[in-house]
Amino acid sequence: MEGNILTFEVPRSFFSHTGSLLLQLHLTETKLAAGAKEDDHGSAVWTVRRMMDWMEHIADDKERQGHIRTAETYRATVRRMRKAAAYMTDSLFDTSWLSRFDKQLHSDGLTLNTIGFYMKRLRAACNLAREKGSPLPEDLFDAVYTGNAQTAKRALDAATVSRLAAMELTKPMQLLARDLFLFSFYTCGMSFIDMAYLQRTNIQHDILTYRRHKTGQCLSMAWLPEMEELVRRNHEDGQPYLLPIIKRCVADERRAFQTMQYRVNHALKSIGRGLGLPRPLTMYVARHSWASIAQASQ
């Protein structure tokens, strides 16, 4: 390949005349990463479409490196960009477009922290592009929110956790969601991903030991009768994991996990409304609640 000309031979059997034919194909600028070769970052104009292509490329790289969650954050940002800018993907990616994007996110009712999440991921993509030689301005994000706003208190007090445990629920998904919330609470705020992969082998001599999915840290605690009762109520015969979050032989365990996480949080929010809570009830609240109650009891 010379310059931006690709040359290859096509066998003569593809044509009616004899001999082979040399074809020269001009390569377009729509290449992987940002519509150009990585060493061309400084020469092409950055449009919104080009930025989205670049972020998809970053996501692919992160996935190959095993950073699945990071890859998902880039792709989530691209999806939000497409939703907000479906009619202006050929606009310049500049402060004017970012300002419109920021206003759209506010209009969609997103919280400051969610807006900051998308803007920070965009800023990270710009920083990576600059490392490749892009002349993207340093002040692109000066006029939009990229911080972390202080969130309202999410923890439940002990009395509210007791009310939750005593609620009369009839819908199967609500019953499961409530049990998973309580399991996280009883296990010192265990994360949903760590709950998903628990097996009976994690329990030895009434001690629960597991390694955190996120950090690799090994944690141990007493295996309480309350924990055993929740597992007894929800474990499905023939399944490898204690709790019915990920089932045996699913084609995509991560997608199955995300689907169940969505369904559980959706059910918890309806339970929270029934309790008259001022803020949405989610699995994350279980972690905050345990930490808050444990600190108060010291």
Side-chain angles (χ1 to χ4, degrees):
M1 186 163 62
E2 298 179 1
N4 64 344
I5 304 296
L6 181 65
T7 302
F8 61 92
E9 288 194 20
V10 178
R12 64 184 181 183
S13 58
F14 284 91
F15 304 95
S16 57
H17 56 274
T18 61
S20 61
L21 178 68
L22 288 178
L23 297 182
Q24 291 187 320
L25 301 180
H26 289 271
L27 299 181
T28 68
E29 288 188 354
T30 55
K31 291 179 69 75
L32 185 65
K37 293 183 299 181
E38 288 195 355
D39 57 1
D40 286 341
H41 269 290
S43 61
V45 173
W46 280 87
T47 62
V48 175
R49 187 188 305 277
R50 185 182 178 197
M51 177 54 71
M52 291 192 295
D53 288 345
W54 172 234
M55 294 182 77
E56 290 282 9
H57 171 65
I58 295 172
D60 290 343
D61 270 356
K62 294 295 183 184
E63 197 165 54
R64 281 192 291 269
Q65 296 164 17
H67 304 309
I68 307 299
R69 174 57 185 155
T70 303
E72 287 175 351
T73 64
Y74 278 100
R75 292 196 175 106
T77 305
V78 171
R79 287 194 296 272
R80 177 57 66 170
M81 292 169 72
R82 287 200 181 102
K83 181 178 179 181
Y87 56 92
M88 53 182 179
T89 55
D90 291 324
S91 299
L92 289 178
F93 181 79
D94 56 14
T95 54
S96 177
W97 183 85
L98 279 168
S99 178
R100 295 197 299 273
F101 184 47
D102 180 71
K103 290 177 181 176
Q104 183 63 55
L105 297 180
H106 279 91
S107 297
D108 290 345
L110 274 61
T111 64
L112 271 180
N113 277 340
T114 302
I115 293 170
F117 163 83
Y118 290 127
M119 292 300 183
K120 281 185 286 189
R121 193 50 65 204
L122 271 167
R123 186 174 62 187
C126 288
N127 290 339
L128 289 172
R130 289 192 195 96
E131 291 177 9
K132 299 293 184 181
S134 169
L136 284 165
E138 296 280 352
D139 62 352
L140 271 174
F141 296 86
D142 285 359
V144 295
Y145 184 77
T146 57
N148 290 305
Q150 186 174 4
T151 57
K153 182 181 177 183
R154 303 190 203 188
L156 304 182
D157 57 29
T160 305
V161 174
S162 296
R163 285 173 56 211
L164 171 65
M167 282 185 78
E168 293 187 7
L169 303 171
T170 57
K171 295 181 179 179
M173 197 63 221
Q174 287 188 336
L175 289 166
L176 174 61
R178 191 255 306 276
D179 280 358
L180 293 178
F181 182 98
L182 292 174
F183 188 89
S184 175
F185 179 79
Y186 293 150
T187 53
C188 309
M190 185 184 293
S191 70
F192 199 65
I193 187 70
D194 292 331
M195 289 167 54
Y197 287 101
L198 283 181
Q199 300 185 54
R200 183 56 68 177
T201 53
N202 290 110
I203 307 163
Q204 300 290 335
H205 307 294
D206 291 329
I207 298 295
L208 169 63
T209 302
Y210 71 99
R211 192 171 296 279
R212 287 204 63 194
H213 192 85
K214 183 176 181 180
T215 65
Q217 179 185 15
C218 189
L219 299 175
S220 296
M221 66 193 70
W223 183 250
L224 303 175
E226 292 86 353
M227 303 173 190
E228 182 64 37
E229 173 59 21
L230 291 173
V231 169
R232 186 197 64 76
R233 264 203 315 253
N234 294 285
H235 178 70
E236 298 178 2
D237 291 340
Q239 295 297 327
Y241 304 123
L242 288 180
L243 298 167
I245 297 173
I246 299 174
K247 305 295 180 69
R248 180 189 293 275
C249 298
V250 294
D252 187 337
E253 284 196 349
R254 187 162 186 85
R255 182 175 291 276
F257 164 80
Q258 290 172 328
T259 299
M260 181 58 76
Q261 186 177 44
Y262 171 81
R263 293 181 65 199
V264 166
N265 280 329
H266 183 75
L268 284 174
K269 288 173 184 176
S270 66
I271 294 172
R273 289 191 293 270
L275 284 170
L277 300 181
R279 286 172 294 278
L281 184 66
T282 66
M283 285 299 300
Y284 200 61
V285 175
R287 305 188 68 188
H288 278 269
S289 300
W290 175 83
S292 177
I293 294 171
Q295 184 178 38
S297 64
Q298 291 179 353

